[in-house]
Amino acid sequence: MLSVITLSRNLLPTIPFDEGYTPLFGDNNLIIHKDGKMVHLSLDERTGSGFVSHDLYLHGYFSASIKLPADYTAGVVVAFYMSNGDMYQKNHDEIDFEFLGNIRGKDWRIQTNVYGNGSTNIGREERFGLWFDPAEDIHQYSILWTDSQIIFYIDNVPIREVKRTESMGGDFPSKPMTLYATIWDASDWATNGGKYKVNYKYAPYIAEFYDLVLHGCAVDPIEHVAKCDNAPSSKVIPSGVTPVQRIKMDNFRKKHMTYSYCYDKIRYKAPPSECVINPKEAERLRKYDPVTFGNGRRHHGKHHHHGSGSQEEAASF
């Protein structure tokens, strides 16, 4: 098995925009550069923007190198995610990277989420800070999705692993999905639970996407039959977390994780069945936010939940 550390951008084929994707919304706020190798998505007072893959996929490795907008970005959300919400409105699946903007002087935060079969009432969010400024340069964000696990990577370092358990049942994403990239106004929840809104005096907010990788099992949209291609390049796809990567993942989580649903005592009296409780993570989060991760009691307010592409319970961190 090849270590993900050696999985460079060049090993997997990237495809020009028009071969793999189509604009989703935003008209002129989506601009394609460099023969389709770079895409700019922008948000202004008129609209956000986004694109979507031509094909549906059942499992695979999906990646983009992204540079986020700089300066005041409160209320702005950039999302790189998989969903089938247009096909399964009541029981859709989703795997999300969401980048949550912030006020000037505060860093972007990153949120990951996974759910299946329309289980939006559960929500499996984890939130992290980063060890770099994602508005300063491009960084690679990747999703590995198999029938038994989902792994999120940043610059080839795994940051989160979701293993399928029997008890999850249909809550593990298991239907074909398309890949999306969007930028949009989430003033009502994205920054401190909606306290800070998008300020269009700083618009346009531009997110840059490069090195788009769609390496999965394409599925016929009518027949829903997977056309799996076991080309040689699939050998460079990671098949799990190696011991070296696990050390890197543990270090990342120790330094940068600020929220995990598994430890949220307000939402859950007992952790959901798939959670593997790490006592060190539990203790660190409890010190970070004793109300949410400690006794689970507070006097006012409640968690809110949102629809596709905005799965965050609006906690104030």
Side-chain angles (χ1 to χ4, degrees):
M1 180 176 65
L2 188 81
S3 158
V4 187
I5 307 310
T6 63
L7 185 67
S8 78
R9 286 182 195 146
N10 306 321
L11 287 178
L12 285 173
T14 61
I15 53 175
F17 182 84
D18 58 1
E19 285 183 28
Y21 306 88
T22 189
L24 181 64
F25 70 103
D27 304 324
N28 298 334
N29 282 13
L30 183 153
I31 301 173
I32 300 162
H33 298 273
K34 295 187 179 172
D35 299 331
K37 292 180 180 159
M38 177 171 81
V39 185
H40 280 186
L41 294 181
S42 64
L43 165 68
D44 57 26
E45 50 275 284
R46 198 173 48 87
T47 181
S49 51
F51 60 84
V52 59
S53 63
H54 291 164
D55 288 333
L56 283 158
Y57 295 91
L58 183 63
H59 309 138
Y61 182 85
F62 309 91
S63 183
S65 293
I66 305 170
K67 183 180 178 187
L68 298 174
D71 206 0
Y72 180 98
T73 53
V76 176
V77 170
V78 175
F80 178 68
Y81 66 105
M82 305 194 73
S83 176
N84 48 31
D86 53 345
M87 297 178 64
Y88 301 97
Q89 289 173 3
K90 299 208 169 142
N91 62 335
H92 83 286
D93 307 302
E94 199 158 316
I95 302 173
D96 299 329
F97 261 121
E98 289 178 312
F99 305 92
L100 311 179
N102 220 326
I103 57 175
R104 184 184 276 134
K106 297 264 190 176
D107 298 329
W108 280 86
R109 291 148 307 139
I110 192 164
Q111 174 162 287
T112 60
N113 201 359
V114 168
Y115 58 87
N117 220 21
S119 57
T120 54
N121 61 321
I122 296 178
R124 294 179 165 87
E125 301 94 339
E126 287 194 345
R127 260 194 306 287
F128 310 91
L130 293 165
W131 68 92
F132 54 82
D133 179 354
E136 225 168 59
D137 203 353
I138 60 171
H139 291 269
Q140 189 181 19
Y141 305 91
S142 312
I143 295 166
L144 174 70
W145 173 37
T146 74
D147 62 355
S148 61
Q149 65 184 344
I150 293 161
I151 303 173
F152 295 87
Y153 301 88
I154 301 177
D155 289 340
N156 299 325
V157 174
I159 64 160
R160 180 180 182 185
E161 174 185 38
V162 180
K163 289 187 173 175
R164 183 179 201 156
T165 63
E166 201 174 316
S167 59
M168 283 179 84
D171 284 3
F172 187 91
S174 53
K175 298 188 290 295
M177 293 190 273
T178 40
L179 186 77
Y180 293 84
T182 55
I183 185 170
W184 50 290
D185 182 332
S187 288
D188 60 337
W189 64 270
T191 310
N192 283 68
K195 181 176 175 185
Y196 301 104
K197 318 285 186 195
V198 173
N199 185 338
Y200 284 106
K201 126 177 144 177
Y202 298 99
Y205 296 99
I206 298 170
E208 303 172 15
F209 288 78
Y210 307 77
D211 298 329
L212 298 166
V213 172
L214 284 170
H215 193 91
C217 248
V219 171
D220 183 290
I222 316 264
E223 305 284 332
H224 277 216
V225 177
K227 300 172 287 193
C228 246
D229 151 18
N230 294 316
S233 59
S234 61
K235 289 187 177 135
V236 303
I237 298 291
S239 56
V241 178
T242 67
V244 171
Q245 289 164 352
R246 191 159 301 284
I247 292 166
K248 286 180 181 270
M249 180 165 73
D250 289 347
N251 284 340
F252 171 84
R253 293 171 69 83
K254 188 162 63 181
K255 289 179 187 161
H256 300 290
M257 185 165 73
T258 58
Y259 176 85
S260 171
Y261 77 104
C262 283
Y263 303 99
D264 188 333
K265 301 285 185 63
I266 293 169
R267 291 170 81 186
Y268 304 110
K269 289 198 164 49
S273 60
E274 74 277 3
C275 288
V276 178
I277 297 303
N278 175 327
K280 288 184 180 169
E281 280 186 351
E283 176 62 15
R284 198 181 63 77
L285 287 173
R286 190 181 64 74
K287 285 183 178 164
Y288 178 75
D289 181 347
V291 173
T292 304
F293 305 113
N295 59 22
R297 287 197 299 274
R298 61 175 163 190
H299 301 298
H300 59 83
K302 64 198 267 187
H303 288 294
H304 299 289
H305 223 87
H306 298 269
S308 176
S310 62
Q311 296 69 38
E312 133 130 1
E313 82 314 337
S316 298
F317 290 127

